[in-house]
């Protein structure tokens, strides 16, 4: 029987167990995909701990690449034998084979191997909508400063390279000097070690007191307050994650006092709610990767059965770039 990682209760990594599962035929609008590689993402930690609630027992994981084995009625963009990759709900990618909705499953171009596909779909589509669609009033143009937290992480390393390709001056933060060096080598124009430096003061210094047009903040609790101090007047605070815990509640008046700021909380799943928008974003990602402007750094590989260690490494800030699980 095929195997999958499941949780029966939320909590620590030890709650993830490998189990035999039944996998049937795809229904209308669904495909059956056999994974060659599975992506690991911080959102998997939120589901495992219960920060993002889900009915139990549950699978985990929202990113993978492999071969389509069967398609259900009404699926026209894929057929059995196609190479494919996805970032998609519902959770359940930590498995050998699964049946899932076809909407967000995309044909994988020949130039992109399965491991790269699994390492880049969720993180790369996120970098795509952040840098191309989550913009301040008037948009971003070449030379503009943006601040990107956790710049040496999975989403971060892709964003550094993509921002460079767009001509943006990305200021990247990271938790160690080695991670800062990695972000810089991948296109960050400036880097700040936010474990040892006051990042708001450094941003002011780097931008000649002006501040940045956008802060892309996936760290949440630990960076929220100071991030608001990094923004130029009318700047955009784009919150998209909670690696250190959820951002605190705040009174809107503070946005006026700090320069008529804008705030948004974005999630990829709004952007990929239709087949058309998913494919358009994926085509943009495939192009920037195939052109070599963005390289996908797979820095950690784990057998699926070692997923507990993979989560421990991700949560304890030991990882850089992308991590994948191999079924
Ligand atoms: N909303 C969306 O659409 C969306 C989509 C994808 C990802 N995300 C979010 O984007 C972030 C990055 O995702 P990812 O999968 O690529 O993970 P990642 O960046 O590879 O890992 C998270 C990083 O956050 C930093 N961090 C800061 N404080 C932390 C803490 N207290 N505990 C753990 N990590 C901490 C660490 O980097 P340093 O050591 O350098 O600080 C860590 O490596 C996550 O917050 C994720 O939820 C959001």
């Amino acid at each position: 029987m095929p195997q999958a990682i499941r949780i029966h209760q939320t909590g620590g990594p030890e709650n993830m167990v490998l189990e035999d599962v039944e996998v049937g035929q795809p229904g209308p609008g669904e495909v059956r995909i056999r994974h060659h590689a599975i992506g690991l993402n911080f959102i998997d930690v939120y589901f495992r701990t219960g920060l993002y609630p889900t009915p139990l027992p549950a699978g985990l994981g929202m990113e993978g690449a492999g071969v389509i084995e069967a398609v259900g009625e009404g699926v026209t963009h894929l057929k059995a034998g196609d190479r494919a990759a996805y970032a998609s709900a519902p959770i359940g990618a930590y498995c050998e084979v699964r049946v899932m909705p076809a909407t967000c499953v995309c044909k994988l171009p020949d130039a992109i191997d399965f491991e790269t596909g699994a390492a880049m779909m969720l993180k790369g589509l996120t970098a795509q909508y952040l840098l191309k669609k989550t913009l301040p009033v008037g948009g971003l143009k070449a030379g503009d400063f943006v601040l990107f937290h956790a710049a040496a992480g999975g989403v971060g390393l892709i964003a550094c390279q993509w921002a460079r390709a767009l001509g943006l001056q990305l200021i990247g933060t990271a938790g160690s000097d080695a991670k800062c060096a990695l972000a810089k080598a991948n296109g960050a124009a400036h880097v700040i070690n936010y474990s040892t430096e006051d990042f708001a003061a450094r941003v002011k210094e780097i931008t000649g007191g002006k501040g940045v047009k956008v802060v892309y903040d996936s760290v949440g609790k630990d960076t929220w307050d100071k991030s608001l101090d990094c923004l130029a007047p009318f700047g955009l605070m784009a919150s998209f994650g909670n690696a250190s815990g959820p951002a605190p509640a705040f009174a809107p008046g503070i946005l006026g006092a700090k320069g008529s700021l804008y705030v948004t909380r974005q999630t990829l799943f709004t952007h990929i709610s239709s087949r058309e928008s998913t494919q358009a974003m994926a085509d943009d990602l495939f192009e920037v990767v195939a052109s070599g402007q963005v390289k996908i750094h797979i820095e950690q590989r784990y057998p699926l059965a070692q997923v507990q260690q993979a989560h421990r490494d991700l949560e304890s800030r030991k990882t850089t770039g992308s991590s994948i699980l191999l079924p």
Side-chain angles (χ1 to χ4, degrees):
M1 265 174 102
Q3 293 194 303
I5 296 291
R6 311 255 291 161
I7 53 168
H8 293 265
Q9 57 182 41
T10 54
E14 66 283 357
N15 287 315
M16 294 181 290
V17 287
L18 193 61
E19 292 179 351
D20 291 340
V21 289
E22 298 267 1
V23 179
Q25 292 301 319
E30 293 182 330
V31 293
R32 193 173 69 225
I33 182 167
R34 184 165 295 273
H35 290 137
H36 284 230
I38 300 151
L40 185 69
N41 290 283
F42 220 91
I43 194 171
D44 308 343
V45 174
Y46 307 146
F47 278 111
R48 195 207 72 218
T49 60
L51 178 66
Y52 292 178
T54 187
L56 296 171
L60 282 177
M62 310 187 88
E63 188 179 40
V67 174
I68 301 296
E69 288 189 335
V71 303
E73 197 188 313
V75 176
T76 53
H77 69 286
L78 292 165
K79 61 180 186 322
D82 280 347
R83 301 169 72 253
Y86 66 87
S88 177
I91 53 177
Y94 290 2
C95 64
E96 293 174 327
V97 56
R98 73 183 291 199
V99 167
M100 65 182 294
T103 307
C104 296
V105 183
C106 299
K107 265 178 102 160
L108 190 62
D110 291 342
I112 300 175
D113 61 52
F114 289 122
E115 292 196 355
T116 304
M120 75 178 206
M121 289 300 280
L122 199 148
K123 300 161 197 74
L125 294 177
T126 300
Q128 200 276 350
Y129 86 71
L130 289 174
L131 295 174
K132 301 258 183 114
K133 300 188 191 174
T134 309
L135 303 175
V137 174
L140 285 174
K141 56 181 186 328
D144 282 344
F145 283 106
V146 299
L147 177 64
F148 206 105
H149 289 306
V155 179
L157 279 190
I158 297 174
C160 286
Q161 299 172 78
W162 210 331
R164 174 174 59 188
L166 294 169
L168 300 173
Q169 298 208 62
L170 181 147
I171 304 172
T173 60
S176 72
D177 290 345
K179 286 186 177 187
C180 283
L182 185 64
K184 187 122 203 236
N186 280 280
H190 302 269
V191 284
I192 304 170
N193 179 342
Y194 56 9
S195 298
T196 57
E197 296 178 274
D198 176 343
F199 72 81
R202 287 276 292 117
V203 165
K204 283 279 147 72
E205 219 174 274
I206 292 165
T207 60
K210 292 196 176 118
V212 298
K213 287 204 165 170
V214 190
V215 177
Y216 295 107
D217 187 352
S218 66
V219 173
K221 183 168 76 64
D222 290 354
T223 45
W224 174 266
D225 286 333
K226 270 196 182 174
S227 291
L228 295 177
D229 294 331
C230 296
L231 285 161
F234 307 108
L236 174 65
M237 175 69 182
S239 167
F240 71 104
N242 342 267
S244 67
F250 67 95
I254 198 164
L255 303 176
K258 289 185 186 284
S260 303
L261 304 178
Y262 293 81
V263 172
T264 183
R265 174 53 161 97
Q266 294 281 308
T267 169
L268 173 64
F269 301 100
T270 318
H271 292 272
I272 58 172
S273 59
S274 75
R275 169 97 278 282
E276 293 69 30
S277 60
T278 305
Q279 192 62 53
M281 290 169 66
D283 287 345
D284 197 20
L285 174 63
F286 293 151
E287 195 180 311
V288 80
V289 170
S291 73
Q293 288 177 297
V294 170
K295 293 195 168 47
I296 305 301
H297 293 273
I298 304 172
E299 300 293 346
Q300 297 79 215
R301 288 177 171 79
Y302 307 85
L304 181 59
Q306 284 176 24
V307 68
Q308 295 185 1
Q309 188 58 44
H311 272 227
R312 286 192 187 99
D313 291 348
L314 184 63
E315 282 175 281
S316 60
R317 303 167 77 164
K318 282 196 186 132
T319 63
T320 55
S322 297
S323 305
I324 56 169
L325 304 169
L326 298 168

